[in-house]
Amino acid sequence: LFPYTTLFRSNKIYTLVGLVLATLMMTSCLKDDDNDDNGSSFRDTAITGFTLGQLKVKRDTLTKSGKDSTFYAKYEAKNLRFYIDQAQGLVYNVDSLPYGTDVAHVLATITTKNSGIVTILSQQGDKQTYFSPNDSIDFTSPRSFRIYSNAQDTYRDYKISVNVHKQKGNVFSWASMQGNSNFGAFTAMKAVSTKDKIFVFGTDGTQTKGYVTAQNDGNHWALLSQSFSAQAYQSVLVKENKLFILDSGRILSSTDGNAWTQVGTNTNLKQLVAASSSELFALTTAGSLVRSQDNGATWNVETLDDNISLLPVSNINYVLLSNNGADDMSRVLLVGTTASGNKTVTWTRLSYKNRPTADDTWNYVENAATKFLLPAYRHLTVVNYDDAALAMGVDNSGKFGSMLLSRDAGIVWNSDKDFSYPLNVQPANTFTATVDADAYIWMISGSKVWRGRLNRVGWKLNQERAAE
C-alpha cells in the first residue's frame, strides 16, 4: 500500500514576491479579531477536499496468437475516497489504486478553506510552484503542499500520498514453510485455526495426535500434550476460538489444545461435524443429525427437509458464512460424501447468535446442472474464503482438482482462474487445509506445509481493519 519513489514535476514554477515569502514563514495560527460577518476566519488554512481525475491503468492481455501483450485502460478515480488528517497534515487513500495505475501524470483537484492559495513544495529545496488543476503532478512518491490563507500571512503544510497496489490483485502468493516429518506419519489429518494458532490433528491408525504453531510462525510445530482415539481427529472443530473434539463419547473443549475440559458425554455420537457461534452439530451412530446449544452437554435431533440417507458420512466439512451482513445470523454449510462414496452432498441451515433457542430446518441443496456440482474429491477440504465456500481436493487422476468456489450457499460450484495451488505441488497420502485470521490458507500435504493468500483478499482485510 505504499507509493513508488520516482520523482517528476511538471508544474510551471513561479517566483513569489519576496515580501510575501518573508511573511509566509510564520506558523499557522487563527485570530478571532479577523472573522468576517459569518464568524469564519480568512486566516484559516486547511485542505477540505482532494480528488483525482481520470487515470491510466496498464493491463495485461493475450494477443490472438497467444502472446503476452499490454494495453492502457481508463480509470475514473473521482470517487476514490481520500482521508484528510488535519492534526498531522496528511492526505491519503486507504483503498489503493489498481496495480499498474500511472500516478506519474495525475490531474488533481484540491479544495481549501476560504479558497486558500495552494503551492507545491519542491523536494530538492525551498522552491514552490503554484498548484493548478490543469497541470499534471507526479505522485509516485508523497508530495508536500502548502496552503496559504487569503491574508497571505499564515500557512499549513500537508503531505499528500496517492497509494497504488504493488501487487496484482488476482495473484495467489504462496510461501513454502518448513516441512514436518511427523505429519508424514499420519494416514489422515485435519487442520483448524483459532485467532492466533494453527492446529493439525492426525491419526496413525491407532491414536490421534495434535500439533500447534503460532499463526505468525508455521516453521515450528509443538506436539500437544494429550492424545485421543484413532478417529477423534475427524471431530475437531472450532467454536468461538475454542477447540472441541469428540473422543470415545466424551465431548472435550480447550483453548490451547493442551488443557482439555470434559463438557459432555454421549455414546450415541459418531462425529462432531459443524459449529456456529451458538451451536454444535454432530452425527449419531444411527445416522441422524443432532444439535447442542450448551457446548455439548445435551443434544436434540435436527429437522431435515429431505431423506436422512442424503446426509454425508465421510470427507465431512463445514463453513460458516455471513448471511447478507446480518450480525446475529449466519449460514452453516455442511458438505461431504455420501455412503456410496461417489457423490458429494451439501446441506445448509441458518443459525442465530442472539436467539439460541430458535429452530431452523436443514435444507438439502439440489442442482440439476451436473457441470456445476462439487465432485467427490478425495481428501475433500472446504473452507470459508473470499466470502465464499472454497473446495479443494484430489481428483480421479490423482492430481489436485480445480479449486472450486460457491458463492450461493453450495448450489453452484465454479472454478476461478484467480485461485491456484502452490506451483508444482503434488498430492501426498494425506491432505488438509484451514484459513487463519489474516486470510491466509494453510495447506498441508503429507509432511509439506504452505501458506498463501490471494492478494486482493489481503487488501480487503487491511481496509476493513483500517475502517474499524
Side-chain angles (χ1 to χ4, degrees), residues 202-269:
T203 181
D204 59 5
T206 60
Q207 63 178 341
T208 290
K209 293 182 179 180
Y211 293 84
V212 61
T213 187
Q215 179 181 303
N216 58 3
D217 184 357
N219 293 313
H220 306 91
W221 296 81
L223 175 66
L224 299 181
S225 60
Q226 187 169 337
S227 59
F228 308 92
S229 59
Q231 301 303 313
Y233 76 96
Q234 298 179 102
S235 290
V236 177
L237 48 77
V238 175
K239 174 179 176 287
E240 298 287 89
N241 286 311
K242 181 179 288 188
L243 295 165
F244 286 83
I245 194 169
L246 174 65
D247 183 42
S248 301
R250 299 178 303 149
I251 300 98
L252 308 172
S253 68
S254 174
T255 57
D256 62 3
N258 286 302
W260 293 84
T261 301
Q262 185 169 337
V263 293
T265 302
N266 192 323
T267 56
N268 293 321
L269 298 183

Side-chain angles (χ1 to χ4, degrees), residues 284-329:
T284 68
T285 54
S288 60
L289 186 60
V290 294
R291 172 181 57 154
S292 174
Q293 297 169 295
D294 51 15
N295 288 329
T298 60
W299 297 84
N300 295 294
V301 177
E302 287 283 78
T303 303
L304 309 178
D305 76 342
D306 214 319
N307 199 296
I308 193 173
S309 64
L310 292 172
L311 286 173
V313 299
S314 61
N315 282 323
I316 298 175
N317 296 261
Y318 82 96
V319 294
L320 195 61
L321 302 171
S322 61
N323 197 67
N324 298 323
D327 293 335
D328 68 334
M329 183 169 58

Side-chain angles (χ1 to χ4, degrees), residues 83-109:
Y83 292 81
I84 303 175
D85 184 338
Q86 300 290 0
Q88 300 186 70
L90 301 175
V91 181
Y92 58 94
N93 54 314
V94 173
D95 186 5
S96 294
L97 288 161
Y99 175 86
T101 301
D102 176 16
V103 290
H105 309 88
V106 175
L107 293 179
T109 299

